[in-house]
Amino acid sequence: KNQVEQSPQSLIILEGKNCTLQCNYTVSPFSNLRWYKQDTGRGPVSLTIMTFSENTKSNGRYTATLDADTKQSSLHITASQLSDSASYICVVSAGGTSYGKLTFGQGTILTVHP
Amino acid sequence: DAGVIQSPRHEVTEMGQEVTLRCKPISGHNSLFWYRQTMMRGLELLIYFNNNVPIDDSGMPEDRFSAKMPNASFSTLKIQPSEPRDSAVYFCASSFRQISGNTIYFGEGSWLTVV
């Protein structure tokens, strides 16, 4: 069964600090992995998309890594800001005959305190 | 572009009533998705259209749910009759399908409460 597991479930950090969110997946065959940010009361917004051949991708203060061998990904947030408080969702897209089928993680709720 | 537009943003209805949620995808996108999000289950795909044709509706919970996409710029998700357990946020999303991966753009959601 395709699964995506994220850790931690929730995280509280102080403004200005860095943090790393984890994502482990068992989706096969693998097509790509996405990280989304979802603010409270809003729809998810795409941060990064990585395919099998990409190890790292950055979007401003957000840097995602992918290890396709161990089926792990991380999202690193540098110099956190209050506006980073949100739910971060890891999403894995299947390939092959299941092309485009997305498996969602439960998300990590990040709270940044001043 | 205005993004994916959903309506209504909020709806409160009585059990047994029909609910229709509407979606206008981003112009030019050829894939449209309906998702449901709850605290317990997170985001779940209900149905996925490609070029207005339903490709995968295995996530539709039961016959009370139906979705249509009569043209490339409009889709509806209907629940009839509604039940309290249908209370959730329903997201519509669209993308332009391509081989190497495609950004999926979500609407702001329709917050449904069935009492």
Side-chain angles (χ1 to χ4, degrees):
Chain A
K1 180 183 176 183
N2 289 339
Q3 287 187 312
V4 175
E5 295 189 359
Q6 294 186 241
S7 62
Q9 282 190 332
S10 61
L11 181 62
I12 300 174
I13 62 173
L14 293 177
E15 187 179 14
K17 298 296 186 183
N18 303 336
C19 67
T20 300
L21 315 179
Q22 300 291 343
C23 173
N24 296 339
Y25 63 91
T26 60
V27 175
S28 184
F30 173 85
S31 177
N32 58 71
L33 184 146
R34 312 147 186 261
W35 282 95
Y36 280 85
K37 178 188 178 190
Q38 186 176 19
D39 292 316
T40 301
R42 309 294 297 275
V45 174
S46 179
L47 294 176
T48 63
I49 299 176
M50 287 184 294
T51 58
F52 183 88
S53 59
E54 296 176 293
N55 300 120
T56 185
K57 183 167 278 190
S58 292
N59 178 359
R61 295 179 298 102
Y62 301 100
T63 299
T65 65
L66 173 65
D67 185 334
D69 292 329
T70 61
K71 299 187 177 181
Q72 296 179 326
S73 175
S74 66
L75 180 69
H76 186 74
I77 304 174
T78 304
S80 61
Q81 300 176 357
L82 298 179
S83 59
D84 293 331
S85 294
S87 178
Y88 291 84
I89 305 171
C90 176
V91 186
V92 180
S93 180
T97 56
S98 300
Y99 177 82
K101 196 168 184 74
L102 303 180
T103 304
F104 288 81
Q106 287 287 70
T108 292
I109 299 174
L110 174 66
T111 304
V112 181
H113 283 164
Chain B
D1 197 311
V4 176
I5 299 173
Q6 292 186 245
S7 65
R9 283 299 315 277
H10 299 273
E11 175 138 352
V12 180
T13 190
E14 287 187 335
M15 181 174 65
Q17 296 298 306
E18 178 180 294
V19 173
T20 300
L21 308 179
R22 298 172 178 78
C23 175
K24 182 180 187 312
I26 292 173
S27 177
H29 283 185
N30 58 1
S31 294
L32 184 140
F33 310 81
W34 281 101
Y35 291 94
R36 178 172 65 178
Q37 186 176 39
T38 61
M39 287 291 292
M40 292 296 295
R41 300 171 70 93
L43 272 162
E44 302 173 283
L45 177 67
L46 299 177
I47 188 169
Y48 153 48
F49 292 86
N50 195 50
N51 292 323
N52 312 340
V53 176
I55 301 300
D56 182 356
D57 65 353
S58 59
M60 295 287 263
E62 48 199 271
D63 293 344
R64 297 184 298 106
F65 285 69
S66 63
K68 294 182 180 180
M69 191 166 186
N71 57 61
S73 59
F74 184 67
S75 176
T76 60
L77 177 68
K78 187 175 293 187
I79 308 172
Q80 166 63 21
S82 58
E83 296 181 3
R85 60 193 169 115
D86 301 330
S87 298
V89 185
Y90 290 83
F91 287 103
C92 177
S94 73
S95 72
F96 182 73
R97 177 174 168 153
Q98 54 187 335
I99 295 174
S100 60
N102 46 338
T103 298
I104 297 175
Y105 296 86
F106 285 78
E108 296 290 51
S110 292
W111 298 67
L112 174 65
T113 303
V114 183
V115 298

